[in-house]
Amino acid sequence: MQKIIILDFGSQTTQLIGRRVRELDTFCEILPYNKYPEDDTDVIGVILSGSPYSVHDPESFRLNLAAFMGRKPVLGICYGAQLLSHEQGGRVEKTDSREYGRANLAYVDTQNPLFEGFEQNSQVWMSHGDSITAIPVGYHKIASTADVNYAAYAADNQPVWAVQFHPEVYHTLQGMQLLRNFVVGICGSHQDWSAASFVDTTVAELKEQLGNDRVILGLSGGVDSSVAAVLLHRAIGDRLTCIFVDHGMLRKNEFTDVMRDYECLGLNVIGVDASERFFADLAGVTEPEQKRKIIGRDFVEVFNAEAKKITDARWLAQGTIYPDRIESLNITGKVIKSHHNVGGLPKEMNLQLCEPLRWLFKDEVRRVGRQLGIPEHLIGRHPFPGPGLAVRVLGDITREKVAVLQDADKIFIDNLREAGLYDKIWQAGAILLSTVRSVGVMGDERTYENPVALRAVTSTDAMTADWAQIPYEVLAKTSNEIINKVKGVNRVCYDISSKPPATIEWE
């Protein structure tokens, strides 16, 4: 299968590059900057990402350009453009002509294949501290702004292009056109990466991978595990056993609702109430990463115990998707957050790992789910963290705190549905600020209780997100209901942070 390789130098927008390439119905793989797969004959092009570093920083990332230069079409973006210049004899300097934010291309060579279909004065998005002040011999300028002479350049006699701006972000108005020109026009993508092709290919691969083995799958009620389950069921039928673990930190009534939902899919589902164990192991734990690790450990161990009851079980399937793996294994070596289903399985668990969705972004998972005929009420569900409400209760976890949050969360979600906003929002939920006490007055009495924060974001892939601009009347109704109906809460706040710099979840 054709693929574009994106070499990651640690930019916050590397995943956006991947998402845009996928929108062009082309498979891509994001790899560390120094892991180019020289023996992979399916590679049709290489993209070099941005980076938080300057090419002059001692700790900056470098790579062996000879591995692909002259062999595959190359597109350098921001740091990638600077690195190409710096490594081949050009000059990159800190100058007064630095640019951040919107800029316009004062000159564009629309005869160059990278800029085919571009308009003069097209808006682009810049974000760089260094500037390319000279390009290497054998290259020529193909775009500039009023302040940056070499906004883009290309090689004279080999398939190499470089842009100082970021075509992957929405503020570059013709960014998708540029990426289409590179991926389809220059690299020759057949654009055959689709939900239908993914289903056909993945079912065939699962049949080969799993043979006649039995598989157990963890269901959460969310989109990812539901789609993974139906894919596996299509491949191996009744050799799949699904297990839905109730760790006690699901949304209100979710365990019952989810078990009922899966009846229509014909899946063999076992429900396991392990809440006592989870609450006991989380007692007194306040550090977010420790919470996640405890829940991840207990989750796997519960599965280990269940696996022993299933004859010939050889595999544990999970609904891990691509952003989970990218966030957990950031190229800079700094973990953004660990995911409960990322990182492999303990040696004592005699199961191999199967992750049929490991290459998909969230919206691709939904498209695959629709291709599989999964009901829309399951496909359209908001993402929900694997650790559940444990990462939405700040501080230590108790049943009482989770119950308070379940009630507040249900009011919020119900109001979004009633207002017709649920399907317009990517993810929403309530957070109990149990480490904070808020003074209030209720019934002429002074109260000293917990605030609740409401969080709702819009997004396409969870790699970036904007806070949802919910009408004031909906927020007011929600706030009033929570304060009046949920004992222990006397203040409601609304989170208006975007990602980045914040994350969608608070922990």
Side-chain angles (χ1 to χ4, degrees), residues 43-295:
V43 178
I44 59 171
V46 181
I47 297 177
L48 310 181
S49 84
S51 175
Y53 295 115
S54 162
V55 294
H56 300 295
D57 291 341
E59 66 270 33
S60 64
F61 300 130
R62 303 299 173 85
L63 80 166
N64 176 23
L65 294 176
F68 48 81
M69 289 282 283
R71 304 179 187 182
K72 306 289 181 183
V74 178
L75 173 63
I77 295 176
C78 197
Y79 176 88
Q82 295 172 0
L83 183 66
L84 286 170
S85 177
H86 181 73
E87 292 291 314
Q88 297 180 93
R91 190 164 59 248
V92 178
E93 299 178 290
K94 290 189 180 296
T95 70
D96 294 334
S97 58
R98 296 178 296 174
E99 287 187 325
Y100 294 95
R102 294 176 179 83
N104 294 90
L105 297 178
Y107 161 72
V108 184
D109 180 4
T110 56
Q111 299 303 306
N112 189 280
L114 189 68
F115 286 112
E116 182 179 338
F118 256 64
E119 301 171 359
Q120 296 294 336
N121 209 42
S122 185
Q123 178 182 294
V124 297
W125 183 264
M126 296 280 191
S127 180
H128 57 100
D130 293 348
S131 288
I132 300 166
T133 56
I135 55 178
V137 174
Y139 286 80
H140 58 281
K141 178 175 68 176
I142 55 175
S144 61
T145 70
D147 297 316
V148 174
N149 188 30
Y150 298 108
Y153 64 93
D156 297 339
N157 299 307
Q158 57 179 332
V160 181
W161 289 262
V163 295
Q164 182 62 81
F165 55 89
H166 288 271
E168 70 274 19
V169 303
Y170 286 114
H171 298 300
T172 296
L173 299 184
Q174 291 188 276
M176 278 301 293
Q177 179 67 37
L178 185 149
L179 291 172
R180 180 185 299 276
N181 289 342
F182 179 73
V183 172
V184 181
I186 293 171
C187 298
S189 168
H190 297 156
Q191 295 186 278
D192 52 8
W193 171 257
S194 66
S197 66
F198 176 83
V199 170
D200 292 342
T201 301
T202 303
V203 168
E205 289 175 350
L206 288 170
K207 287 180 177 179
E208 182 177 354
Q209 177 187 20
L210 303 174
N212 294 319
D213 290 345
R214 285 193 173 276
V215 179
I216 58 176
L217 167 72
L219 285 175
S220 67
V223 180
D224 302 337
S225 64
S226 300
V227 173
V230 175
L231 265 176
L232 282 158
H233 187 259
R234 182 167 292 192
I236 64 172
D238 61 7
R239 294 197 305 279
L240 171 68
T241 299
C242 301
I243 300 171
F244 181 28
V245 175
D246 182 6
H247 49 37
M249 288 156 282
L250 300 171
R251 283 179 160 149
K252 191 168 185 176
N253 303 324
E254 189 166 20
F255 185 71
T256 302
D257 292 345
V258 167
M259 291 295 288
R260 184 179 62 249
D261 282 342
Y262 284 128
E263 290 179 7
C264 69
L265 296 177
L267 300 174
N268 175 27
V269 185
I270 298 171
V272 181
D273 183 356
S275 57
E276 289 292 342
R277 171 179 180 163
F278 280 87
F279 277 112
D281 289 350
L282 286 167
V285 177
T286 60
E287 205 279 317
E289 277 298 296
Q290 192 178 357
K291 288 182 190 178
R292 289 178 176 272
K293 291 184 184 302
I294 289 171
I295 291 170

Side-chain angles (χ1 to χ4, degrees), residues 1-5 27 29 31 35-45 72:
M1 177 175 59
Q2 290 182 321
K3 67 176 70 171
I4 297 290
I5 294 296
F27 183 70
E29 189 172 350
L31 296 174
K35 299 294 183 182
Y36 177 75
E38 295 190 49
D39 297 329
D40 192 338
T41 58
D42 293 329
V43 178
I44 59 171
K72 306 289 181 183

Side-chain angles (χ1 to χ4, degrees), residues 224 318-322 324-325 341-342 355-359:
D224 302 337
Q318 295 181 341
T320 311
I321 64 174
Y322 207 21
D324 295 340
R325 300 192 296 136
N341 57 351
V342 174
E355 298 174 312
L357 308 180
R358 64 191 180 279
W359 294 112

